[in-house]
Amino acid sequence: MQEILAKLGIEKVNLGAFNGQWLGSGDELTSVSPIDGSTIATVKQCTVDEYDQVVSAAQKSFEKWRMTPAPIRGETVRQLGNALREYKTELGALVTIEMGKIRAEGEGEVQEMIDICDFAVGLSRQLYGLTMHSERPMHRMYEQYHPLGVVGIISAFNFPVAVWSWNGALAAACGDASLWKPSSKTPLTAIACTKIAEKVCRDTGVDPAIFSLVIGPGRSVGEKLINDRRIPLVSATGSCKMGYRIGQVVGERLGRTILELGGNNAIVVTPNADLEMAMRAIMFGAVGTAGQRCTSTRRVIVHDSIRDQLVEKLIAAYKQIPIGNPLSEGTLMGPLIDKSAVTDFTNAINAVKSEGGENLHGGEVLDGSDYPGGCYVTPCIAAAKNEFQIVQQETFAPILYVINYNQFEDALRMHNDVPQGLSSAIFSTDMLETEQFLAHSGSDCGIANVNIGTSGAEIGGAFGGEKETGGGRESGSDAWKAYMRRQTNTINWGTTLPLAQGIKFGE
């Protein structure tokens, strides 16, 4: 581990703020590995005064960066992608050490960063506007997009590096600076990423404050960020509760938000499904990252006629899941992020039972020498009803609720009858069922899939959801437009001044 930390520039004690220079004099934050409960390193957090220094530097860097031609901005992002390729193994390992996801998922997250950098490089030559015909003679109308400003990025522990890149790479290509506040549970991965970006900027002659960092408590630094009028856009990933707070505060100052919040994702399995394929998708969606993805599969809505068969397949598969050290080859499920998450896991299982549900498999807390740190559990499959209060909530843990249906219309109703609306899927070979699932009256989620699971979105599509999931979109497609300000332009190339709508004024 020490070799990995050294290559990424992580020291025993690290500074938690960056504005072109490293600073940090606040309380010390300890990063603890969920693998075994050991201390990885500590971080001297950003104070409120230091926060102001960071934002001031980011604002100055933006004023210069916005005037850099977009293709040249894209070259810096290209170099960032290349640097991430160089550090993929070590950064992926640090994600595993600090967050607990298995090694393949840690490296896969870094690959997402590389992919979004590639996307942003192409985008830097495609920040297209639009031309329109004017109703006035000798007039031309068009729209263009300008850089917006300093973009605040608030990321969660479960994707400690990818979410920053989704926002930061696009923001940089669009001519914005970014200010990253990562989760206090995963500060070291943020420091490592910022150091990689710093080196790239220095090598390309760019002010490295375009990728600024503040690590500090939400009650001080976080509140300062969301109230800061110098930050026109806050992109936040986290819980619905957090999203309500950020949306309210930023909205009151008429700022913008991109909110990617909780998911309560369901897979509908019909009698026309390929059960083997459905089982594999459900297992990955529910167990991957120990159920700590916003796109994790939380509910399976399965037809009565195949319910027992599917459950039997799932239990057999769950029994074969290797649980343990996520750095070890062959492990498919590592620990939860901390003991608080384990408590939420056990409380949710007890709530299912109290509401009349049944634990069909798993749900144990694992301890002993093979599971140090106290954060390991066995993934749970529970029989439940959609209207259970606990089912209506998002428990960030590997709990899968199995819910029966008889009529397809009932399956769609139950699918949509939760407060969240992020990701969804249907398994069926019947075109009428799949098309109904994708229709206006079908899934109400931001992501709707057919014969693939709820988890594992590609960077090319806009990512985000509806309802309490926040309505924001990150990553691909035209999500870049949220990071820019839109402007309509009209040019009169004649010698008279006709008014719109044929208005005559003063004639």
Side-chain angles (χ1 to χ4, degrees):
M1 182 174 75
Q2 293 306 317
E3 185 179 343
I4 291 168
L5 297 179
K7 184 165 184 180
L8 293 170
I10 302 300
E11 302 173 353
K12 186 176 180 181
V13 180
N14 303 271
L15 299 180
F18 180 75
N19 66 349
Q21 302 294 325
W22 287 92
L23 59 159
S25 60
D27 293 340
E28 206 160 274
L29 173 68
T30 301
S31 177
V32 176
S33 175
I35 295 174
D36 56 9
S38 64
T39 295
I40 309 170
T42 62
V43 177
K44 293 183 73 65
Q45 297 182 87
C46 179
T47 66
V48 171
D49 288 343
E50 289 164 343
Y51 166 87
D52 281 324
Q53 296 176 43
V54 173
V55 177
S56 294
Q59 181 66 30
K60 289 180 181 177
S61 72
F62 160 70
E63 291 169 2
K64 183 177 180 181
W65 183 243
R66 66 183 173 182
M67 297 306 295
T68 303
I72 297 176
R73 299 195 299 253
E75 173 60 19
T76 296
V77 177
R78 188 181 74 82
Q79 296 292 349
L80 176 59
N82 287 341
L84 291 169
R85 286 179 172 90
E86 179 182 347
Y87 289 99
K88 178 179 176 179
T89 300
E90 291 79 13
L91 187 55
L94 181 56
V95 169
T96 295
I97 292 166
E98 192 170 40
M99 185 270 152
K101 63 177 61 175
I102 63 174
R103 193 72 175 264
E105 289 189 87
E107 291 192 17
E109 186 172 343
V110 181
Q111 186 61 50
E112 281 192 47
M113 304 174 78
I114 295 166
D115 292 345
I116 198 66
C117 284
D118 288 349
F119 180 91
V121 172
L123 176 65
S124 69
R125 293 182 181 270
Q126 299 180 74
L127 300 174
Y128 298 136
L130 181 71
T131 61
M132 294 153 285
H133 290 276
S134 173
E135 68 182 63
R136 290 169 282 187
M138 299 184 180
H139 282 58
R140 179 166 64 89
M141 292 179 64
Y142 69 94
E143 291 180 345
Q144 61 178 335
Y145 289 85
H146 293 298
L148 180 63
V150 179
V151 175
I153 303 169
I154 300 174
S155 62
F157 75 85
N158 61 324
F159 278 85
V161 295
V163 169
W164 167 70
S165 68
W166 291 357
N167 291 274
L170 291 193
C174 290
D176 301 327
S178 58
L179 176 67
W180 184 14
K181 184 190 179 304
S183 168
S184 294
K185 296 180 180 182
T186 52
L188 301 181
T189 51
I191 291 172
C193 288
T194 303
K195 288 191 172 185
I196 293 170
E198 176 191 9
K199 184 178 186 304
V200 167
C201 288
R202 295 197 189 284
D203 289 347
T204 55
V206 171
D207 183 349
I210 63 167
F211 296 113
S212 295
L213 176 71
V214 288
I215 296 172
R219 64 183 180 276
S220 55
V221 171
E223 284 293 312
K224 186 85 170 174
L225 190 158
I226 63 177
N227 279 280
D228 197 335
R229 291 182 178 274
R230 294 171 293 179
I231 300 177
L233 170 65
V234 176
S235 177
T237 301
S239 68
C240 295
K241 180 180 179 182
M242 180 203 74
Y244 274 114
R245 174 64 183 166
I246 292 174
Q248 179 184 21
V249 172
V250 178
E252 283 181 350
R253 62 178 176 86
L254 299 182
R256 300 187 199 174
T257 55
I258 299 173
L259 299 177
E260 200 283 284
L261 310 174
N264 197 344
N265 315 296
I267 294 179
V268 176
V269 184
T270 82
N272 299 298
D274 180 325
L275 284 190
E276 184 66 24
M277 191 161 64
M279 180 275 293
R280 293 175 64 84
I282 293 165
M283 185 174 72
F284 174 72
V287 175
T289 323
Q292 297 171 118
R293 291 185 177 214
C294 52
T295 55
S296 290
T297 305
R298 310 285 176 202
R299 299 174 293 145
V300 171
I301 302 171
V302 56
H303 192 269
D304 293 334
S305 64
I306 56 170
R307 185 263 191 193
D308 291 346
Q309 186 180 357
L310 179 62
V311 168
E312 182 180 342
K313 284 180 174 291
L314 285 170
I315 291 175
Y318 269 47
K319 287 180 177 178
Q320 299 177 46
I321 295 171
I323 302 169
N325 189 323
L327 290 169
S328 300
E329 188 175 350
T331 298
L332 290 184
M333 187 177 123
L336 295 175
I337 185 65
D338 54 26
K339 291 185 178 180
S340 176
V342 176
T343 299
D344 290 343
F345 172 77
T346 55
N347 287 345
I349 294 171
N350 291 333
V352 173
K353 295 176 182 176
S354 69
E355 292 192 66
E358 180 185 0
N359 187 351
L360 302 175
H361 176 77
E364 299 91 4
V365 176
L366 301 174
D367 52 24
S369 59
D370 291 336
Y371 304 101
C375 297
Y376 294 86
V377 301
T378 58
C380 176
I381 302 172
K385 292 184 178 179
N386 202 64
E387 61 266 26
F388 285 179
Q389 184 177 356
I390 189 62
V391 175
Q392 292 286 308
Q393 302 169 9
E394 179 190 42
T395 302
F396 226 51
I399 303 176
L400 179 67
Y401 302 117
V402 178
I403 301 163
N404 297 21
Y405 82 90
N406 184 262
Q407 299 297 319
F408 188 69
E409 291 73 17
D410 293 331
L412 285 180
R413 176 185 54 78
M414 287 189 289
H415 175 279
N416 293 342
D417 192 18
V418 291
Q420 310 84 0
L422 179 52
S423 187
S424 61
I426 184 172
F427 274 80
S428 173
T429 57
D430 186 317
M431 186 185 73
L432 299 182
E433 290 177 333
T434 59
E435 289 297 324
Q436 189 173 347
F437 185 75
L438 300 178
H440 299 326
S441 57
S443 168
D444 63 1
C445 294
I447 299 169
N449 298 328
V450 174
N451 293 327
I452 64 170
T454 62
S455 191
E458 299 180 33
I459 62 95
F463 182 89
E466 302 300 324
K467 302 189 294 187
E468 286 192 358
T469 302
R473 293 296 185 274
E474 298 171 308
S475 193
S477 186
D478 65 349
W480 63 270
K481 293 180 179 179
Y483 301 87
M484 306 196 79
R485 59 182 178 90
R486 184 173 182 170
Q487 186 179 78
T488 300
N489 307 106
T490 306
I491 300 170
N492 179 359
W493 55 275
T495 57
T496 61
L497 191 65
L499 300 177
Q501 292 84 47
I503 294 174
K504 304 294 182 183
F505 187 78
E507 293 183 8

